[in-house]
């Protein structure tokens, strides 16, 4: 085969196809900066699209997981949709920005990689040098283990901080309706977050518990009665009281 014939055959060969998977872990990341997709998802999309171009592949579908944790693959509907898609369509590449966008658990990583391999799909990371060579697979396994360690260690640190905060009399979350979050300064000048009775709403909540205990109210009717009594939500920087 001559050089010209080989080039012509290459030009006539169909381009490869790719799907891209985009994920951020929290709803705040998905809307940061007042944007519908925040900043991370568009950045991931641009990087993944450039990677597809470098592979001479057309992006035929994208799957966007906005505000979904990577700790469990079963709780991510877009991931499940992507795995179903590659089983039903011919796809050459699955492109992610980093492996930890795809999985934060070694077990999930193995399961996802197996599902892609069974469908004839090659996993590609725009940020990491992974491939099907022994060294590439070693890198893949190492990155996956690091992602799992980071996820578990972060969870432990968060739990430790919440326990410490509670032991000092603070509150670890937004106070329920009937209470309000306040900052209290102790004798040493340290500021601690705690809760106090919300005088504007507490009497409505007390009434609601007694009313429900009478046994003839549903949550729906109780909500309507509380609305008639004037109970409103607390205002936030984003949302007014309503």
């Amino acid at each position: 085969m001559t050089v010209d014939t080989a080039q012509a055959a290459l030009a006539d060969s169909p381009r490869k196809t790719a799907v891209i998977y985009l994920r951020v872990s929290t709803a705040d990341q998905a809307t940061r900066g007042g944007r519908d997709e925040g900043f991370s998802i568009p950045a991931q999309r641009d990087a993944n699209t450039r990677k597809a171009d470098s592979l001479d592949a057309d992006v035929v579908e994208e799957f966007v997981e906005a505000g979904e944790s990577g700790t469990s693959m079963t709780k991510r509907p877009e991931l499940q949709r992507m795995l179903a898609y590659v089983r039903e369509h011919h796809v050459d590449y699955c492109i992610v920005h980093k492996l930890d966008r795809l999985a934060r658990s070694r077990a999930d990583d193995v399961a996802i990689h197996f599902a892609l391999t069974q469908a004839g799909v090659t996993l590609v990371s725009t940020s990491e040098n992974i491939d099907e060579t022994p060294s590439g697979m070693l890198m893949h396994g190492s990155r996956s283990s690091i992602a799992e360690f980071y996820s578990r260690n972060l969870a432990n640190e968060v739990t430790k901080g919440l326990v410490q905060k509670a032991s000092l009399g603070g509150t670890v979350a937004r106070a329920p309706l009937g209470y309000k979050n306040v900052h209290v300064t102790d004798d040493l000048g340290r500021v601690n977050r705690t809760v106090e009775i919300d005088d504007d709403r507490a009497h409505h909540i007390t009434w609601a518990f007694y009313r429900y205990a009478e046994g003839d109210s549903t949550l729906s009717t109780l909500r309507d009665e509380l609305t008639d009594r004037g109970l409103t939500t607390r205002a936030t920087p984003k949302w007014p009281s309503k």
Side-chain angles (χ1 to χ4, degrees):
M1 180 182 292
T2 65
V3 173
D4 290 340
T5 304
Q7 290 177 340
L10 183 61
D12 291 337
S13 63
R15 281 171 62 87
K16 293 185 180 299
T17 58
V19 296
I20 61 177
Y21 180 76
L22 318 168
R23 184 180 68 82
V24 290
S25 302
T26 66
D28 177 64
Q29 287 177 299
T31 57
R32 188 165 294 167
R35 300 158 60 99
D36 290 341
E37 292 185 325
F39 297 110
S40 180
I41 287 177
Q44 291 179 48
R45 179 182 292 115
D46 290 345
N48 290 1
T49 302
R50 289 195 302 270
K51 187 65 174 179
D53 288 339
S54 74
L55 295 169
D56 291 326
D58 294 319
V59 176
V60 294
E61 190 67 74
E62 73 170 34
F63 302 87
V64 182
E65 213 88 68
E68 296 291 342
S69 170
T71 55
S72 174
M73 63 180 287
T74 60
K75 296 180 180 179
R76 287 183 280 156
E78 284 297 286
L79 173 62
Q80 297 302 321
R81 192 168 74 86
M82 183 186 75
L83 295 178
Y85 182 91
V86 300
R87 285 194 297 267
E88 298 167 3
H89 302 81
H90 172 73
V91 175
D92 294 293
Y93 302 107
C94 171
I95 304 177
V96 296
H97 186 244
K98 292 181 68 176
L99 288 176
D100 65 4
R101 297 300 84 198
L102 199 59
R104 285 285 180 88
S105 153
R106 186 70 181 115
D108 281 354
D109 176 76
V110 170
I112 294 168
H113 191 228
F114 179 76
L116 293 174
T117 302
Q118 288 293 99
V121 181
T122 299
L123 178 62
V124 176
S125 168
T126 64
S127 306
E128 297 141 329
N129 185 25
I130 61 169
D131 52 37
E132 300 302 317
T133 65
S135 59
M137 295 302 293
L138 176 61
M139 174 66 74
H140 185 161
S142 298
R143 291 287 185 180
S144 176
S145 296
I146 290 171
E148 181 172 39
F149 166 78
Y150 173 82
S151 179
R152 293 193 176 192
N153 186 63
L154 179 62
N156 287 339
E157 291 301 312
V158 169
T159 300
K160 183 169 65 177
L162 294 178
V163 170
Q164 177 67 12
K165 187 176 182 181
S167 70
L168 296 175
T171 179
V172 298
R174 182 173 171 80
L177 207 60
Y179 297 88
K180 58 184 178 181
N181 298 87
V182 294
H183 292 180
V184 177
T185 304
D186 64 17
D187 295 337
L188 299 177
R190 295 174 299 193
V191 177
N192 191 32
R193 296 178 182 179
T194 186
V195 296
E196 290 182 351
I197 296 292
D198 184 346
D199 294 330
D200 294 332
R201 296 174 177 82
H203 61 287
H204 292 304
I205 304 302
T206 301
W207 175 88
F209 273 93
Y210 279 109
R211 180 74 180 90
Y212 189 74
E214 294 174 1
D216 59 352
S217 293
T218 65
L219 293 179
S220 179
T221 60
L222 194 59
R223 178 199 60 206
D224 293 339
E225 291 181 56
L226 285 168
T227 300
D228 292 339
R229 287 174 59 90
L231 177 64
T232 60
T233 60
R234 293 189 302 269
T236 70
K238 290 186 177 180
W239 306 104
S241 178
K242 62 178 181 179

